[in-house]
Amino acid sequence: MQIQYKTNRLRITRLQRTDLNALNQLLSDPIIRDLSGLQLPADNAQRLLALSMVTPEPYIFVLKLVGTDELIGMFGFYQCYRADFMISAHYRELGYLLGQKWWGNGYVAEAGNKLISDFFATTQYRYLCAGVMANNHRSQRVLTKLGLKQTSHPTELAASQFNDLEQYYQRDSLMMST
């Protein structure tokens, strides 16, 4: 995958240490923190430290507005674990977050369409999966726009990664982009 992408409204770059304070500020909103699914500390300093640990990950990106370069969200492809707790060679979990101020403007779908097609074209991964709270209808619509279909949790993956409060979505690398 590339280090940077651009759409009409977004500059999408790999997460860097210089992005951590702005990302941490977004995650200081407990609603965003809870909806993101990331298990991060509520304490500001501890959360910043936890975020710094994911900076080396090659498949985590931040979303910035073209023109102002304001960081408004994050989009990533996270490791998944098989039932034997080894890292899956076939699956990555799709995750994203967006500051409330920018909800409803199509930013996540815009970034996701760009990133997902390149992800499948440049990596060996065959599947993307995502879990979303059953009452988070906005996020369910975003996943559908990104070409993911509702499913039971992937059987290859460890059941401990899933819970009854979530609905699961999956996309195969062979599926046509929507």
Side-chain angles (χ1 to χ4, degrees):
M1 292 193 75
Q2 300 176 154
I3 293 172
Q4 180 171 300
Y5 300 83
K6 191 169 182 183
T7 68
N8 289 337
R9 302 181 301 162
L10 297 172
R11 192 166 68 86
I12 306 161
T13 62
R14 276 202 188 140
L15 176 64
Q16 313 246 330
R17 289 200 178 280
T18 54
D19 299 318
L20 292 178
N21 285 327
L23 183 57
N24 192 31
Q25 183 62 37
L26 276 181
L27 287 162
S28 67
D29 179 341
I31 293 171
I32 301 303
R33 196 170 51 249
D34 291 345
L35 289 175
S36 76
L38 296 171
Q39 299 199 6
L40 295 169
D43 176 75
N44 192 47
Q46 290 177 353
R47 189 173 56 250
L48 192 56
L49 179 62
L51 288 171
S52 71
M53 292 179 192
V54 298
T55 354
E57 272 289 321
Y59 305 125
I60 300 177
F61 297 86
V62 291
L63 314 179
K64 297 178 181 178
L65 293 176
V66 168
T68 66
D69 224 27
E70 182 177 9
L71 192 147
I72 65 168
M74 184 170 80
F75 196 101
F77 305 96
Y78 300 91
Q79 289 181 341
C80 290
Y81 294 88
R82 300 183 324 214
D84 62 4
F85 298 103
M86 298 297 292
I87 294 172
S88 174
H90 304 291
Y91 281 90
R92 277 277 171 152
E93 182 176 4
L94 176 67
Y96 49 85
L97 62 90
L98 189 69
Q100 287 190 66
K101 177 177 168 182
W102 299 282
W103 288 2
N105 292 299
Y107 289 120
V108 173
E110 184 175 325
N113 282 321
K114 187 76 138 176
L115 291 170
I116 290 170
S117 61
D118 197 42
F119 177 79
F120 280 134
T122 61
T123 71
Q124 82 281 8
Y125 295 100
R126 294 188 48 216
Y127 302 101
L128 286 176
C129 61
V132 61
M133 299 304 286
N135 63 354
N136 189 348
H137 303 293
R138 283 178 184 243
S139 199
Q140 292 168 19
R141 282 192 300 274
V142 168
L143 291 171
T144 301
K145 285 180 185 178
L146 293 174
L148 282 82
K149 307 284 184 221
Q150 191 171 355
T151 185
S152 61
H153 77 76
T155 54
E156 175 187 317
L157 303 180
S160 61
Q161 296 178 119
F162 307 100
N163 70 58
D164 294 338
L165 302 176
E166 293 184 334
Q167 291 183 353
Y168 296 95
Y169 290 77
Q170 183 172 305
R171 179 174 169 173
D172 188 301
S173 62
L174 302 176
M175 292 174 68
M176 296 300 291
S177 180
T178 55

